[in-house]
Amino acid sequence: MKKINFLILTFMLTLFFVSCEDEFLDTDPARSISDEQVASAPAANEAIINGIYANLRSFGIGNPGRVDTDYGHKGITAGYDMMAQDIVLNNFNWYIFFYNYNGIQQTSSRTRITWVTYYSAIADANSVINGLQELPERTPQEDALLGQALAIKSFCLFNLVRVYAFTFIGHESDPGVPIPDRIDFDSKDRGTVQDVYNQIIPDLETAVTLLTGFTRDNKQQIDESVARGILANVYLETGNWAGAEENARLARAPFSLMTGEEWATGGFDVISNVEWMWGADIDSESSTVFPSFFSHFDSFSGGYAGVTGGHKLIDARLWNALPDTDIRKTAFVDPDNNTTDFPDFTNTKFVDETGSFEGDYVYMRASEMLLIEAEAKARLGDPTAAAVLFELVSTRDTGYVQSTSTGAALVDEIYFQRRIELWGEGVSWFDLKRLKLPLNRTGDGSNHMDFGRFDLEAESNSFRMQIPEAELNSNENINVNDQNPAPVTN
């Protein structure tokens, strides 16, 4: 009876949130506030910034309210994780259209949700940027608000260009994504990938400067460390190894690492965790209940994972490659000692200890910065790269010995550590694209299900989402000729 009631509720929620559209990118409240009003009202700027943070963890912002994706940034990146090879979807459940690549066409709501969620945040950020940039003088509070707005806009553009285009290196002249400089699009064209990064990088560098000395109220806000963390990721994508190393190192400086035991037994649902740099604090008022990350990823919950069996498993090949001394291996059900009701290899990494869908969302951790720093150093030939990697892995694996590898071999080792350390945190598909690697789900030892058991060559057309059909219909400067090629049919 509990399962039947749950499915009925889910169906009703889905129907409720699928509604008619007016204008494709029409969001409130920023659309109703003029630049002049924003510039003259610091409280209005702060309200808009706080509203963006809230929208990035809310349900239905992307329209039409798909329960597998449309609960903000965390939902979107969870979807893209399903498009890589390190997560196995246990059954034909929510996220299936990401997992089997059938949701990337222009008519899919999945590509629309990504587009609308991030461009809505950009539009709201622009309402703050346009007002504050024109002021002859700004207070420190206004500088901090402007810095956050610039960082938000850059963060969203970075996610968009990585979804709708290939990686930066080698594709600088490819079509990018529109760069709105006002609250609305003004019918912007796609420009190039280079154009997008020419906007992202200076804005982030300015954000870092503006946020220097700013003390945030909580970890839901972007401060200097978070802005540097975003910039470190951008520099890693564009091959600026020195910039990636410096910003990752400075970004993580105020934070420490959680212990390996904390990683394996509950380090992913509380924003106060010493390692978390940025996240969303979920409570009874902000919880989106069933359409939420823990509903989908926590197998113990009363959500989609626990009730409908939509468990998220680790790729057996990745799990088997972990030494038994690595405590992270224990965060997945051991097939040789499965005393649970869960399938072999089910993740127990993500557990909402509140039991009421109020587990917090992590967006950025210090360990990610360590991995960026180590990779950048390795690519620069810095002999301390292995020591940086050791600083992280030795807290997870008691048997780990500092690597003697250098160059490409060390980069490969760092990539392996990224795959396990950041499993399920929204980076795996972007890493495949950044490193120009193929999708491999059919190799020996694979436990991928038949409905997702296929391979894709590196930089397959399927590695780019198509521009939403609604955007093609509403933007006179983007039409069918500007569309990404049709994806490969599996």
Side-chain angles (χ1 to χ4, degrees):
M1 179 65 69
K2 178 180 179 182
K3 182 173 181 179
I4 293 173
N5 289 340
F6 173 75
L7 293 175
I8 292 173
L9 175 59
T10 300
F11 180 70
M12 293 176 65
L13 280 171
T14 302
L15 289 179
F16 179 77
F17 283 101
V18 176
S19 59
C20 298
E21 61 185 272
D22 293 319
E23 295 183 13
F24 187 49
L25 284 177
D26 182 23
T27 61
D28 290 322
R31 281 339 154 273
S32 61
I33 303 175
S34 69
D35 289 351
E36 292 77 11
Q37 288 174 311
V38 170
S40 62
N45 286 306
E46 187 171 6
I48 292 171
I49 294 295
N50 289 337
I52 297 172
Y53 292 135
N55 285 346
L56 287 176
R57 54 161 168 73
S58 296
F59 178 67
I61 299 300
N63 188 356
R66 293 288 182 186
V67 301
D68 60 342
T69 318
D70 197 4
Y71 53 90
H73 171 65
K74 195 70 172 175
I76 291 170
T77 56
Y80 293 119
D81 248 350
M82 298 302 304
M83 295 175 68
Q85 61 207 29
D86 293 339
I87 297 180
V88 175
L89 185 59
N90 179 57
N91 60 21
F92 205 89
N93 210 297
W94 291 110
Y95 284 115
I96 182 64
F97 294 108
F98 284 93
Y99 185 65
N100 66 13
Y101 278 72
N102 286 328
I104 60 180
Q105 297 88 347
Q106 66 184 48
T107 54
S108 172
S109 62
R110 277 77 186 174
T111 184
R112 175 194 175 99
I113 287 167
T114 301
W115 190 271
V116 175
T117 297
Y118 289 130
Y119 272 119
S120 295
I122 290 170
D124 287 346
N126 274 341
S127 68
V128 174
I129 294 167
N130 292 339
L132 292 181
Q133 277 188 332
E134 301 303 317
L135 293 180
E137 293 183 3
R138 289 189 299 271
T139 66
Q141 180 190 17
E142 289 168 335
D143 275 347
L145 290 167
L146 177 57
Q148 290 176 76
L150 289 168
I152 289 167
K153 179 178 180 179
S154 299
F155 174 74
C156 293
L157 280 174
F158 182 49
N159 288 324
L160 286 162
V161 76
R162 291 189 297 166
V163 168
Y164 296 100
F166 291 133
T167 190
F168 176 84
I169 298 174
H171 297 283
E172 296 89 339
S173 299
D174 286 4
V177 292
I179 310 170
D181 54 9
R182 296 170 58 86
I183 294 177
D184 55 20
F185 272 108
D186 284 346
S187 297
K188 298 289 185 180
D189 60 32
R190 291 188 66 178
T192 66
V193 170
Q194 181 74 64
D195 292 335
V196 180
Y197 283 93
N198 286 348
Q199 180 75 48
I200 291 172
I201 294 172
D203 279 356
L204 276 175
E205 291 172 338
T206 300
V208 168
T209 300
L210 291 170
L211 291 168
T212 300
F214 164 62
T215 301
R216 60 184 174 177
D217 295 328
N218 54 67
K219 288 186 181 179
Q220 296 190 99
Q221 298 174 313
I222 294 175
D223 64 359
E224 178 189 350
S225 286
V226 175
R228 285 192 181 277
I230 300 169
L231 185 55
N233 271 293
V234 171
Y235 280 147
L236 192 70
E237 189 87 18
T238 58
N240 182 343
W241 314 127
E245 185 279 330
E246 178 185 28
N247 281 279
R249 173 169 43 81
L250 293 173
R252 72 177 178 92
F255 302 90
S256 55
L257 295 174
M258 69 175 105
T259 66
E261 185 174 352
E262 287 172 324
W263 193 101
T265 59
F268 295 95
D269 67 335
V270 180
I271 199 170
S272 60
N273 184 295
V274 295
E275 189 174 313
W276 287 31
M277 298 171 59
W278 184 32
D281 190 354
I282 308 299
D283 57 21
S284 59
E285 292 185 359
S286 58
S287 173
T288 51
V289 192
F290 297 120
S292 65
F293 181 77
F294 286 101
S295 172
H296 289 287
F297 276 76
D298 178 4
S299 291
F300 298 95
S301 78
Y304 290 106
V307 175
T308 68
H311 304 291
K312 309 305 181 292
L313 286 52
I314 190 172
D315 187 311
R317 298 165 296 178
L318 179 59
W319 187 87
N320 283 317
L322 280 169
D324 291 339
T325 52
D326 195 322
I327 197 169
R328 294 172 298 187
K329 196 169 187 176
T330 66
F332 305 90
V333 174
D334 184 344
D336 296 324
N337 187 32
N338 187 352
T339 59
T340 73
D341 294 329
F342 304 144
D344 294 346
F345 303 108
T346 295
N347 98 85
T348 57
K349 174 183 178 180
F350 299 110
V351 178
D352 174 14
E353 298 291 349
T354 72
S356 54
F357 303 107
E358 294 177 29
D360 301 333
Y361 295 167
V362 60
Y363 297 159
M364 184 183 294
R365 293 193 291 125
S367 59
E368 181 185 5
M369 297 300 107
L370 269 163
L371 289 161
I372 293 174
E373 183 183 345
E375 181 178 341
K377 283 178 177 288
R379 293 184 182 278
L380 289 167
D382 188 323
T384 66
V388 173
L389 183 62
F390 180 80
E391 182 180 346
L392 171 65
V393 183
S394 62
T395 67
R396 315 304 197 219
D397 181 357
T398 57
Y400 184 72
V401 177
Q402 184 169 314
S403 177
T404 58
S405 298
T406 58
L410 181 55
V411 170
D412 288 344
E413 185 175 339
I414 293 165
Y415 172 55
F416 173 79
Q417 293 297 335
R418 284 179 65 89
R419 291 175 66 190
I420 184 62
E421 177 68 23
L422 303 175
W423 187 93
E425 295 180 56
V427 302
S428 57
W429 188 62
F430 292 121
D431 270 352
L432 287 181
K433 296 182 67 171
R434 176 175 66 88
L435 298 169
K436 300 181 180 179
L437 296 172
L439 179 73
N440 176 5
R441 292 181 178 171
T442 65
D444 291 344
S446 171
N447 57 329
H448 280 275
M449 306 301 170
D450 289 343
F451 49 81
R453 195 179 179 91
F454 57 85
D455 298 335
L456 293 171
E457 64 183 12
E459 301 197 312
S460 161
N461 282 335
S462 293
F463 278 170
R464 288 178 295 183
M465 298 286 276
Q466 288 198 303
I467 304 297
E469 187 171 63
E471 182 64 24
L472 301 180
N473 294 336
S474 64
N475 187 338
E476 62 184 17
N477 285 322
I478 300 180
N479 54 50
V480 292
N481 297 321
D482 303 308
Q483 179 62 283
N484 289 333
V488 174
T489 301
N490 300 314

